[in-house]
Amino acid sequence: MKKLILLFIILTTASQLTMAQRYLTKNGHIKFYSDGPLEKIEAHNNQVNAALDTKTGGFVFKVLMKSFVFEKALMQEHFNENYVESDKFPNATFAGKVTNLQDINFDKPGSYEATVVGKLTIHGVTKDISTQGSFDVKEDHVQGKSVFMIKLADYDISIPGAVTGKIAEEIEITVDTKLESLK
Amino acid sequence: MKKFKLWLLILLAAGLLGGTYVWFFVYNKPHRNIETASPDYILSAESFYTHYSNKSTPEGENYDGAVLQISGIPTSIETVDSLRIVVFAFTEGVFGDEGIRCTLLPSHHQYLKSIVPGRPVTLKGLCSGYNGTDVILEQCSIINE
């Protein structure tokens, strides 16, 4: 049921996007960083679909979990097989809105602070999140950036006792997308 | 006493060897080399995409995480920062062209000039799955360079 609601939100947002000024990328970047007591782990994903509607403030992104690349192959295996179960839950999605749209002029180059609220779905669990970020408006694209923390337990991701010291309970997520206008 | 020491030494050596093996071949085992790996599946780009978009993957076959060799006619080549992406577009959606997006290995960027949109090409890469708009192949190498 949750998936259906989320799909509805994404589809309605996407259909609204076709009516207005759209900025898109299929190669956005998401990094996650775990600063555990015994080990620091980071992974990168350069295959992020993201879309921004500058008229309504709608912002969505979708990411394939199997596209996260870790330094160590074993960590990548554990991430996909044991933690996020990417065969069962292949994608993570965010669907939300920029709430301070009135403070951002997408027609004028510059750097603007943004507040984004929405629903983040990871491991089949959807949670409300609110985060600060920025939009760097350039002549030919918009660079959207945000850094926020998520708790693994909130998304039903359990860490086995044997590796507890290696993975932090809270993970830092960095979203960096170079959004280009859809002609 | 000598026997005890001998056993202790054997145990220590076995522990050291075991630890070395785990450190190098389990904990720090290298990533799979997709460029040299034999493809798990060989098929046309179009049928590969159709299987995903129609959720009609043949029974017993699972492309997620598999090495695929695909042949088809690329529609464009994109440059996104340091990435070079060969695109096989089959349809149009909210996110623009939809199809297969193959990110080339950096070592194959030098062969990119051999790929011309509209001319057949064969690529091999690791399938990350379908994100609702595109099928993603990563660490791709050009087979008929």
Side-chain angles (χ1 to χ4, degrees), chain B residues 101-137:
Chain B
R101 296 175 66 80
C102 308
T103 306
L104 288 182
L105 283 165
S107 59
H108 276 250
H109 288 184
Q110 59 183 311
Y111 309 123
L112 200 57
K113 58 182 181 297
S114 70
I115 300 181
V116 180
R119 282 196 207 158
V121 67
T122 300
L123 300 173
K124 181 176 71 175
L126 179 68
C127 178
S128 298
Y130 179 59
N131 62 14
T133 61
D134 299 283
V135 184
I136 305 297
L137 280 188

PDB file of all heavy atoms in Angstrom, chain B residues 101-137:
ATOM      1  N   ARG B 101      21.483   2.826 -20.509  1.00  0.00           N
ATOM      2  CA  ARG B 101      22.587   3.779 -20.333  1.00  0.00           C
ATOM      3  C   ARG B 101      23.818   3.007 -19.878  1.00  0.00           C
ATOM      4  O   ARG B 101      23.815   2.379 -18.816  1.00  0.00           O
ATOM      5  CB  ARG B 101      22.210   4.859 -19.308  1.00  0.00           C
ATOM      6  CG  ARG B 101      21.056   5.720 -19.774  1.00  0.00           C
ATOM      7  CD  ARG B 101      20.610   6.721 -18.709  1.00  0.00           C
ATOM      8  NE  ARG B 101      21.611   7.716 -18.410  1.00  0.00           N
ATOM      9  CZ  ARG B 101      21.833   8.800 -19.159  1.00  0.00           C
ATOM     10  NH1 ARG B 101      21.111   9.011 -20.239  1.00  0.00           N
ATOM     11  NH2 ARG B 101      22.756   9.676 -18.812  1.00  0.00           N
ATOM     12  N   CYS B 102      24.847   3.045 -20.719  1.00  0.00           N
ATOM     13  CA  CYS B 102      26.068   2.272 -20.462  1.00  0.00           C
ATOM     14  C   CYS B 102      27.204   3.229 -20.116  1.00  0.00           C
ATOM     15  O   CYS B 102      27.661   3.988 -20.976  1.00  0.00           O
ATOM     16  CB  CYS B 102      26.458   1.449 -21.688  1.00  0.00           C
ATOM     17  SG  CYS B 102      25.121   0.435 -22.332  1.00  0.00           S
ATOM     18  N   THR B 103      27.645   3.182 -18.873  1.00  0.00           N
ATOM     19  CA  THR B 103      28.766   4.033 -18.457  1.00  0.00           C
ATOM     20  C   THR B 103      30.074   3.304 -18.742  1.00  0.00           C
ATOM     21  O   THR B 103      30.302   2.203 -18.237  1.00  0.00           O
ATOM     22  CB  THR B 103      28.662   4.358 -16.956  1.00  0.00           C
ATOM     23  OG1 THR B 103      27.373   4.905 -16.704  1.00  0.00           O
ATOM     24  CG2 THR B 103      29.727   5.359 -16.523  1.00  0.00           C
ATOM     25  N   LEU B 104      30.919   3.923 -19.563  1.00  0.00           N
ATOM     26  CA  LEU B 104      32.165   3.270 -19.968  1.00  0.00           C
ATOM     27  C   LEU B 104      33.225   3.306 -18.870  1.00  0.00           C
ATOM     28  O   LEU B 104      33.300   4.256 -18.079  1.00  0.00           O
ATOM     29  CB  LEU B 104      32.748   3.965 -21.206  1.00  0.00           C
ATOM     30  CG  LEU B 104      32.047   3.767 -22.549  1.00  0.00           C
ATOM     31  CD1 LEU B 104      32.827   4.497 -23.632  1.00  0.00           C
ATOM     32  CD2 LEU B 104      31.905   2.292 -22.907  1.00  0.00           C
ATOM     33  N   LEU B 105      34.027   2.266 -18.839  1.00  0.00           N
ATOM     34  CA  LEU B 105      35.218   2.273 -17.980  1.00  0.00           C
ATOM     35  C   LEU B 105      36.140   3.399 -18.453  1.00  0.00           C
ATOM     36  O   LEU B 105      36.281   3.604 -19.668  1.00  0.00           O
ATOM     37  CB  LEU B 105      35.967   0.949 -18.123  1.00  0.00           C
ATOM     38  CG  LEU B 105      35.397  -0.262 -17.397  1.00  0.00           C
ATOM     39  CD1 LEU B 105      36.026  -1.540 -17.947  1.00  0.00           C
ATOM     40  CD2 LEU B 105      35.638  -0.155 -15.900  1.00  0.00           C
ATOM     41  N   PRO B 106      36.796   4.126 -17.545  1.00  0.00           N
ATOM     42  CA  PRO B 106      37.700   5.197 -17.980  1.00  0.00           C
ATOM     43  C   PRO B 106      38.739   4.711 -18.984  1.00  0.00           C
ATOM     44  O   PRO B 106      39.110   5.438 -19.904  1.00  0.00           O
ATOM     45  CB  PRO B 106      38.358   5.650 -16.668  1.00  0.00           C
ATOM     46  CG  PRO B 106      37.345   5.319 -15.616  1.00  0.00           C
ATOM     47  CD  PRO B 106      36.671   4.061 -16.079  1.00  0.00           C
ATOM     48  N   SER B 107      39.190   3.450 -18.843  1.00  0.00           N
ATOM     49  CA  SER B 107      40.210   2.933 -19.760  1.00  0.00           C
ATOM     50  C   SER B 107      39.678   2.752 -21.182  1.00  0.00           C
ATOM     51  O   SER B 107      40.452   2.537 -22.112  1.00  0.00           O
ATOM     52  CB  SER B 107      40.765   1.596 -19.244  1.00  0.00           C
ATOM     53  OG  SER B 107      39.716   0.659 -19.111  1.00  0.00           O
ATOM     54  N   HIS B 108      38.358   2.831 -21.349  1.00  0.00           N
ATOM     55  CA  HIS B 108      37.786   2.688 -22.694  1.00  0.00           C
ATOM     56  C   HIS B 108      37.361   4.024 -23.311  1.00  0.00           C
ATOM     57  O   HIS B 108      36.838   4.039 -24.423  1.00  0.00           O
ATOM     58  CB  HIS B 108      36.599   1.709 -22.664  1.00  0.00           C
ATOM     59  CG  HIS B 108      37.037   0.282 -22.753  1.00  0.00           C
ATOM     60  ND1 HIS B 108      36.825  -0.512 -23.851  1.00  0.00           N
ATOM     61  CD2 HIS B 108      37.734  -0.479 -21.874  1.00  0.00           C
ATOM     62  CE1 HIS B 108      37.350  -1.706 -23.638  1.00  0.00           C
ATOM     63  NE2 HIS B 108      37.904  -1.715 -22.442  1.00  0.00           N
ATOM     64  N   HIS B 109      37.602   5.124 -22.572  1.00  0.00           N
ATOM     65  CA  HIS B 109      37.242   6.436 -23.136  1.00  0.00           C
ATOM     66  C   HIS B 109      38.009   6.692 -24.440  1.00  0.00           C
ATOM     67  O   HIS B 109      37.506   7.327 -25.354  1.00  0.00           O
ATOM     68  CB  HIS B 109      37.560   7.552 -22.129  1.00  0.00           C
ATOM     69  CG  HIS B 109      36.609   7.561 -20.962  1.00  0.00           C
ATOM     70  ND1 HIS B 109      36.643   8.506 -19.987  1.00  0.00           N
ATOM     71  CD2 HIS B 109      35.597   6.740 -20.620  1.00  0.00           C
ATOM     72  CE1 HIS B 109      35.709   8.275 -19.089  1.00  0.00           C
ATOM     73  NE2 HIS B 109      35.061   7.192 -19.452  1.00  0.00           N
ATOM     74  N   GLN B 110      39.238   6.155 -24.496  1.00  0.00           N
ATOM     75  CA  GLN B 110      40.070   6.403 -25.695  1.00  0.00           C
ATOM     76  C   GLN B 110      39.480   5.752 -26.947  1.00  0.00           C
ATOM     77  O   GLN B 110      39.832   6.124 -28.063  1.00  0.00           O
ATOM     78  CB  GLN B 110      41.487   5.880 -25.441  1.00  0.00           C
ATOM     79  CG  GLN B 110      41.531   4.390 -25.113  1.00  0.00           C
ATOM     80  CD  GLN B 110      42.922   3.909 -24.784  1.00  0.00           C
ATOM     81  OE1 GLN B 110      43.858   4.191 -25.519  1.00  0.00           O
ATOM     82  NE2 GLN B 110      43.063   3.204 -23.671  1.00  0.00           N
ATOM     83  N   TYR B 111      38.613   4.733 -26.751  1.00  0.00           N
ATOM     84  CA  TYR B 111      38.019   4.050 -27.914  1.00  0.00           C
ATOM     85  C   TYR B 111      36.667   4.638 -28.303  1.00  0.00           C
ATOM     86  O   TYR B 111      36.002   4.127 -29.193  1.00  0.00           O
ATOM     87  CB  TYR B 111      37.849   2.556 -27.626  1.00  0.00           C
ATOM     88  CG  TYR B 111      39.096   1.877 -27.117  1.00  0.00           C
ATOM     89  CD1 TYR B 111      39.105   1.197 -25.905  1.00  0.00           C
ATOM     90  CD2 TYR B 111      40.279   1.923 -27.863  1.00  0.00           C
ATOM     91  CE1 TYR B 111      40.250   0.577 -25.440  1.00  0.00           C
ATOM     92  CE2 TYR B 111      41.438   1.305 -27.400  1.00  0.00           C
ATOM     93  CZ  TYR B 111      41.416   0.636 -26.184  1.00  0.00           C
ATOM     94  OH  TYR B 111      42.544   0.031 -25.730  1.00  0.00           O
ATOM     95  N   LEU B 112      36.269   5.691 -27.577  1.00  0.00           N
ATOM     96  CA  LEU B 112      34.923   6.236 -27.775  1.00  0.00           C
ATOM     97  C   LEU B 112      34.670   6.698 -29.209  1.00  0.00           C
ATOM     98  O   LEU B 112      33.543   6.628 -29.703  1.00  0.00           O
ATOM     99  CB  LEU B 112      34.710   7.404 -26.796  1.00  0.00           C
ATOM    100  CG  LEU B 112      33.267   7.799 -26.498  1.00  0.00           C
ATOM    101  CD1 LEU B 112      32.480   6.624 -25.950  1.00  0.00           C
ATOM    102  CD2 LEU B 112      33.229   8.944 -25.508  1.00  0.00           C
ATOM    103  N   LYS B 113      35.753   7.131 -29.875  1.00  0.00           N
ATOM    104  CA  LYS B 113      35.567   7.628 -31.245  1.00  0.00           C
ATOM    105  C   LYS B 113      35.094   6.526 -32.196  1.00  0.00           C
ATOM    106  O   LYS B 113      34.591   6.807 -33.287  1.00  0.00           O
ATOM    107  CB  LYS B 113      36.836   8.300 -31.762  1.00  0.00           C
ATOM    108  CG  LYS B 113      38.060   7.432 -31.764  1.00  0.00           C
ATOM    109  CD  LYS B 113      39.247   8.235 -32.264  1.00  0.00           C
ATOM    110  CE  LYS B 113      40.520   7.428 -32.311  1.00  0.00           C
ATOM    111  NZ  LYS B 113      40.976   6.946 -31.008  1.00  0.00           N
ATOM    112  N   SER B 114      35.255   5.252 -31.762  1.00  0.00           N
ATOM    113  CA  SER B 114      34.806   4.142 -32.612  1.00  0.00           C
ATOM    114  C   SER B 114      33.292   3.956 -32.523  1.00  0.00           C
ATOM    115  O   SER B 114      32.715   3.191 -33.291  1.00  0.00           O
ATOM    116  CB  SER B 114      35.512   2.843 -32.217  1.00  0.00           C
ATOM    117  OG  SER B 114      35.047   2.401 -30.961  1.00  0.00           O
ATOM    118  N   ILE B 115      32.667   4.645 -31.573  1.00  0.00           N
ATOM    119  CA  ILE B 115      31.211   4.522 -31.435  1.00  0.00           C
ATOM    120  C   ILE B 115      30.540   5.717 -32.107  1.00  0.00           C
ATOM    121  O   ILE B 115      30.779   6.869 -31.735  1.00  0.00           O
ATOM    122  CB  ILE B 115      30.782   4.440 -29.954  1.00  0.00           C
ATOM    123  CG1 ILE B 115      31.432   3.219 -29.301  1.00  0.00           C
ATOM    124  CG2 ILE B 115      29.266   4.358 -29.830  1.00  0.00           C
ATOM    125  CD1 ILE B 115      31.065   3.036 -27.840  1.00  0.00           C
ATOM    126  N   VAL B 116      29.738   5.415 -33.073  1.00  0.00           N
ATOM    127  CA  VAL B 116      29.022   6.469 -33.803  1.00  0.00           C
ATOM    128  C   VAL B 116      27.525   6.199 -33.681  1.00  0.00           C
ATOM    129  O   VAL B 116      27.079   5.092 -33.996  1.00  0.00           O
ATOM    130  CB  VAL B 116      29.433   6.468 -35.296  1.00  0.00           C
ATOM    131  CG1 VAL B 116      28.686   7.558 -36.058  1.00  0.00           C
ATOM    132  CG2 VAL B 116      30.936   6.637 -35.435  1.00  0.00           C
ATOM    133  N   PRO B 117      26.760   7.185 -33.193  1.00  0.00           N
ATOM    134  CA  PRO B 117      25.306   6.977 -33.124  1.00  0.00           C
ATOM    135  C   PRO B 117      24.755   6.551 -34.484  1.00  0.00           C
ATOM    136  O   PRO B 117      25.108   7.136 -35.514  1.00  0.00           O
ATOM    137  CB  PRO B 117      24.774   8.344 -32.694  1.00  0.00           C
ATOM    138  CG  PRO B 117      25.906   8.953 -31.932  1.00  0.00           C
ATOM    139  CD  PRO B 117      27.147   8.487 -32.637  1.00  0.00           C
ATOM    140  N   GLY B 118      23.940   5.516 -34.457  1.00  0.00           N
ATOM    141  CA  GLY B 118      23.368   5.015 -35.703  1.00  0.00           C
ATOM    142  C   GLY B 118      24.109   3.807 -36.261  1.00  0.00           C
ATOM    143  O   GLY B 118      23.611   3.129 -37.147  1.00  0.00           O
ATOM    144  N   ARG B 119      25.327   3.543 -35.716  1.00  0.00           N
ATOM    145  CA  ARG B 119      26.087   2.384 -36.191  1.00  0.00           C
ATOM    146  C   ARG B 119      26.150   1.330 -35.077  1.00  0.00           C
ATOM    147  O   ARG B 119      26.381   1.676 -33.909  1.00  0.00           O
ATOM    148  CB  ARG B 119      27.514   2.800 -36.551  1.00  0.00           C
ATOM    149  CG  ARG B 119      27.585   3.486 -37.896  1.00  0.00           C
ATOM    150  CD  ARG B 119      29.018   3.519 -38.360  1.00  0.00           C
ATOM    151  NE  ARG B 119      29.230   4.644 -39.254  1.00  0.00           N
ATOM    152  CZ  ARG B 119      30.413   5.177 -39.487  1.00  0.00           C
ATOM    153  NH1 ARG B 119      31.479   4.714 -38.880  1.00  0.00           N
ATOM    154  NH2 ARG B 119      30.539   6.185 -40.321  1.00  0.00           N
ATOM    155  N   PRO B 120      25.991   0.038 -35.462  1.00  0.00           N
ATOM    156  CA  PRO B 120      25.944  -1.015 -34.429  1.00  0.00           C
ATOM    157  C   PRO B 120      27.225  -1.084 -33.599  1.00  0.00           C
ATOM    158  O   PRO B 120      28.320  -0.823 -34.101  1.00  0.00           O
ATOM    159  CB  PRO B 120      25.769  -2.305 -35.243  1.00  0.00           C
ATOM    160  CG  PRO B 120      25.292  -1.878 -36.575  1.00  0.00           C
ATOM    161  CD  PRO B 120      25.845  -0.506 -36.810  1.00  0.00           C
ATOM    162  N   VAL B 121      27.032  -1.440 -32.337  1.00  0.00           N
ATOM    163  CA  VAL B 121      28.169  -1.575 -31.428  1.00  0.00           C
ATOM    164  C   VAL B 121      27.851  -2.692 -30.427  1.00  0.00           C
ATOM    165  O   VAL B 121      26.679  -2.995 -30.178  1.00  0.00           O
ATOM    166  CB  VAL B 121      28.452  -0.234 -30.696  1.00  0.00           C
ATOM    167  CG1 VAL B 121      27.320   0.126 -29.753  1.00  0.00           C
ATOM    168  CG2 VAL B 121      29.772  -0.269 -29.954  1.00  0.00           C
ATOM    169  N   THR B 122      28.897  -3.313 -29.908  1.00  0.00           N
ATOM    170  CA  THR B 122      28.717  -4.332 -28.867  1.00  0.00           C
ATOM    171  C   THR B 122      29.463  -3.883 -27.614  1.00  0.00           C
ATOM    172  O   THR B 122      30.645  -3.507 -27.695  1.00  0.00           O
ATOM    173  CB  THR B 122      29.251  -5.697 -29.332  1.00  0.00           C
ATOM    174  OG1 THR B 122      28.520  -6.087 -30.497  1.00  0.00           O
ATOM    175  CG2 THR B 122      29.070  -6.763 -28.272  1.00  0.00           C
ATOM    176  N   LEU B 123      28.756  -3.896 -26.498  1.00  0.00           N
ATOM    177  CA  LEU B 123      29.341  -3.481 -25.229  1.00  0.00           C
ATOM    178  C   LEU B 123      29.122  -4.573 -24.184  1.00  0.00           C
ATOM    179  O   LEU B 123      28.161  -5.338 -24.265  1.00  0.00           O
ATOM    180  CB  LEU B 123      28.674  -2.194 -24.713  1.00  0.00           C
ATOM    181  CG  LEU B 123      28.739  -0.947 -25.586  1.00  0.00           C
ATOM    182  CD1 LEU B 123      27.880   0.158 -24.976  1.00  0.00           C
ATOM    183  CD2 LEU B 123      30.177  -0.468 -25.711  1.00  0.00           C
ATOM    184  N   LYS B 124      30.005  -4.587 -23.194  1.00  0.00           N
ATOM    185  CA  LYS B 124      29.834  -5.515 -22.073  1.00  0.00           C
ATOM    186  C   LYS B 124      29.912  -4.728 -20.779  1.00  0.00           C
ATOM    187  O   LYS B 124      30.759  -3.843 -20.642  1.00  0.00           O
ATOM    188  CB  LYS B 124      30.949  -6.578 -22.111  1.00  0.00           C
ATOM    189  CG  LYS B 124      30.854  -7.610 -21.004  1.00  0.00           C
ATOM    190  CD  LYS B 124      31.914  -8.682 -21.146  1.00  0.00           C
ATOM    191  CE  LYS B 124      33.289  -8.148 -20.842  1.00  0.00           C
ATOM    192  NZ  LYS B 124      34.335  -9.161 -20.845  1.00  0.00           N
ATOM    193  N   GLY B 125      29.006  -4.998 -19.851  1.00  0.00           N
ATOM    194  CA  GLY B 125      29.034  -4.263 -18.596  1.00  0.00           C
ATOM    195  C   GLY B 125      28.238  -4.956 -17.513  1.00  0.00           C
ATOM    196  O   GLY B 125      27.596  -5.991 -17.739  1.00  0.00           O
ATOM    197  N   LEU B 126      28.296  -4.368 -16.337  1.00  0.00           N
ATOM    198  CA  LEU B 126      27.603  -4.917 -15.165  1.00  0.00           C
ATOM    199  C   LEU B 126      26.227  -4.268 -15.036  1.00  0.00           C
ATOM    200  O   LEU B 126      26.117  -3.039 -14.995  1.00  0.00           O
ATOM    201  CB  LEU B 126      28.434  -4.625 -13.903  1.00  0.00           C
ATOM    202  CG  LEU B 126      27.877  -5.087 -12.574  1.00  0.00           C
ATOM    203  CD1 LEU B 126      27.872  -6.612 -12.484  1.00  0.00           C
ATOM    204  CD2 LEU B 126      28.694  -4.502 -11.424  1.00  0.00           C
ATOM    205  N   CYS B 127      25.199  -5.079 -14.960  1.00  0.00           N
ATOM    206  CA  CYS B 127      23.839  -4.542 -14.880  1.00  0.00           C
ATOM    207  C   CYS B 127      23.468  -4.214 -13.436  1.00  0.00           C
ATOM    208  O   CYS B 127      23.460  -5.091 -12.573  1.00  0.00           O
ATOM    209  CB  CYS B 127      22.861  -5.565 -15.455  1.00  0.00           C
ATOM    210  SG  CYS B 127      21.158  -5.031 -15.348  1.00  0.00           S
ATOM    211  N   SER B 128      23.149  -2.928 -13.189  1.00  0.00           N
ATOM    212  CA  SER B 128      22.740  -2.507 -11.837  1.00  0.00           C
ATOM    213  C   SER B 128      21.238  -2.601 -11.660  1.00  0.00           C
ATOM    214  O   SER B 128      20.748  -2.517 -10.541  1.00  0.00           O
ATOM    215  CB  SER B 128      23.154  -1.061 -11.570  1.00  0.00           C
ATOM    216  OG  SER B 128      24.521  -0.921 -11.631  1.00  0.00           O
ATOM    217  N   GLY B 129      20.498  -2.696 -12.781  1.00  0.00           N
ATOM    218  CA  GLY B 129      19.048  -2.821 -12.663  1.00  0.00           C
ATOM    219  C   GLY B 129      18.320  -1.758 -13.458  1.00  0.00           C
ATOM    220  O   GLY B 129      18.915  -1.043 -14.278  1.00  0.00           O
ATOM    221  N   TYR B 130      17.043  -1.667 -13.186  1.00  0.00           N
ATOM    222  CA  TYR B 130      16.143  -0.756 -13.900  1.00  0.00           C
ATOM    223  C   TYR B 130      15.631   0.274 -12.901  1.00  0.00           C
ATOM    224  O   TYR B 130      15.092  -0.084 -11.856  1.00  0.00           O
ATOM    225  CB  TYR B 130      14.989  -1.568 -14.487  1.00  0.00           C
ATOM    226  CG  TYR B 130      13.947  -0.780 -15.250  1.00  0.00           C
ATOM    227  CD1 TYR B 130      14.300  -0.018 -16.361  1.00  0.00           C
ATOM    228  CD2 TYR B 130      12.604  -0.827 -14.886  1.00  0.00           C
ATOM    229  CE1 TYR B 130      13.340   0.685 -17.075  1.00  0.00           C
ATOM    230  CE2 TYR B 130      11.633  -0.134 -15.599  1.00  0.00           C
ATOM    231  CZ  TYR B 130      12.009   0.618 -16.694  1.00  0.00           C
ATOM    232  OH  TYR B 130      11.066   1.312 -17.400  1.00  0.00           O
ATOM    233  N   ASN B 131      15.800   1.550 -13.211  1.00  0.00           N
ATOM    234  CA  ASN B 131      15.417   2.581 -12.236  1.00  0.00           C
ATOM    235  C   ASN B 131      14.039   3.196 -12.545  1.00  0.00           C
ATOM    236  O   ASN B 131      13.705   4.259 -12.034  1.00  0.00           O
ATOM    237  CB  ASN B 131      16.496   3.672 -12.148  1.00  0.00           C
ATOM    238  CG  ASN B 131      16.694   4.392 -13.469  1.00  0.00           C
ATOM    239  OD1 ASN B 131      15.875   4.280 -14.375  1.00  0.00           O
ATOM    240  ND2 ASN B 131      17.793   5.117 -13.581  1.00  0.00           N
ATOM    241  N   GLY B 132      13.293   2.514 -13.373  1.00  0.00           N
ATOM    242  CA  GLY B 132      11.958   3.017 -13.703  1.00  0.00           C
ATOM    243  C   GLY B 132      11.941   3.755 -15.028  1.00  0.00           C
ATOM    244  O   GLY B 132      10.890   3.899 -15.652  1.00  0.00           O
ATOM    245  N   THR B 133      13.111   4.236 -15.455  1.00  0.00           N
ATOM    246  CA  THR B 133      13.198   4.891 -16.765  1.00  0.00           C
ATOM    247  C   THR B 133      14.251   4.218 -17.649  1.00  0.00           C
ATOM    248  O   THR B 133      14.061   4.070 -18.847  1.00  0.00           O
ATOM    249  CB  THR B 133      13.560   6.383 -16.633  1.00  0.00           C
ATOM    250  OG1 THR B 133      14.835   6.498 -15.995  1.00  0.00           O
ATOM    251  CG2 THR B 133      12.530   7.149 -15.840  1.00  0.00           C
ATOM    252  N   ASP B 134      15.350   3.834 -17.053  1.00  0.00           N
ATOM    253  CA  ASP B 134      16.462   3.278 -17.834  1.00  0.00           C
ATOM    254  C   ASP B 134      17.021   2.030 -17.163  1.00  0.00           C
ATOM    255  O   ASP B 134      16.958   1.873 -15.938  1.00  0.00           O
ATOM    256  CB  ASP B 134      17.606   4.299 -17.937  1.00  0.00           C
ATOM    257  CG  ASP B 134      17.174   5.569 -18.628  1.00  0.00           C
ATOM    258  OD1 ASP B 134      17.070   5.571 -19.854  1.00  0.00           O
ATOM    259  OD2 ASP B 134      16.903   6.560 -17.911  1.00  0.00           O
ATOM    260  N   VAL B 135      17.612   1.183 -18.001  1.00  0.00           N
ATOM    261  CA  VAL B 135      18.412   0.082 -17.476  1.00  0.00           C
ATOM    262  C   VAL B 135      19.849   0.585 -17.415  1.00  0.00           C
ATOM    263  O   VAL B 135      20.326   1.220 -18.363  1.00  0.00           O
ATOM    264  CB  VAL B 135      18.326  -1.166 -18.386  1.00  0.00           C
ATOM    265  CG1 VAL B 135      19.101  -2.311 -17.758  1.00  0.00           C
ATOM    266  CG2 VAL B 135      16.883  -1.572 -18.609  1.00  0.00           C
ATOM    267  N   ILE B 136      20.503   0.327 -16.303  1.00  0.00           N
ATOM    268  CA  ILE B 136      21.848   0.865 -16.108  1.00  0.00           C
ATOM    269  C   ILE B 136      22.895  -0.243 -16.244  1.00  0.00           C
ATOM    270  O   ILE B 136      22.838  -1.258 -15.541  1.00  0.00           O
ATOM    271  CB  ILE B 136      21.971   1.516 -14.701  1.00  0.00           C
ATOM    272  CG1 ILE B 136      20.884   2.580 -14.483  1.00  0.00           C
ATOM    273  CG2 ILE B 136      23.368   2.087 -14.488  1.00  0.00           C
ATOM    274  CD1 ILE B 136      20.956   3.765 -15.415  1.00  0.00           C
ATOM    275  N   LEU B 137      23.827  -0.025 -17.157  1.00  0.00           N
ATOM    276  CA  LEU B 137      24.999  -0.899 -17.278  1.00  0.00           C
ATOM    277  C   LEU B 137      26.216  -0.072 -16.883  1.00  0.00           C
ATOM    278  O   LEU B 137      26.397   1.039 -17.382  1.00  0.00           O
ATOM    279  CB  LEU B 137      25.190  -1.414 -18.707  1.00  0.00           C
ATOM    280  CG  LEU B 137      24.341  -2.587 -19.209  1.00  0.00           C
ATOM    281  CD1 LEU B 137      24.854  -3.036 -20.573  1.00  0.00           C
ATOM    282  CD2 LEU B 137      24.334  -3.751 -18.267  1.00  0.00           C
TER     283      LEU B 137
END
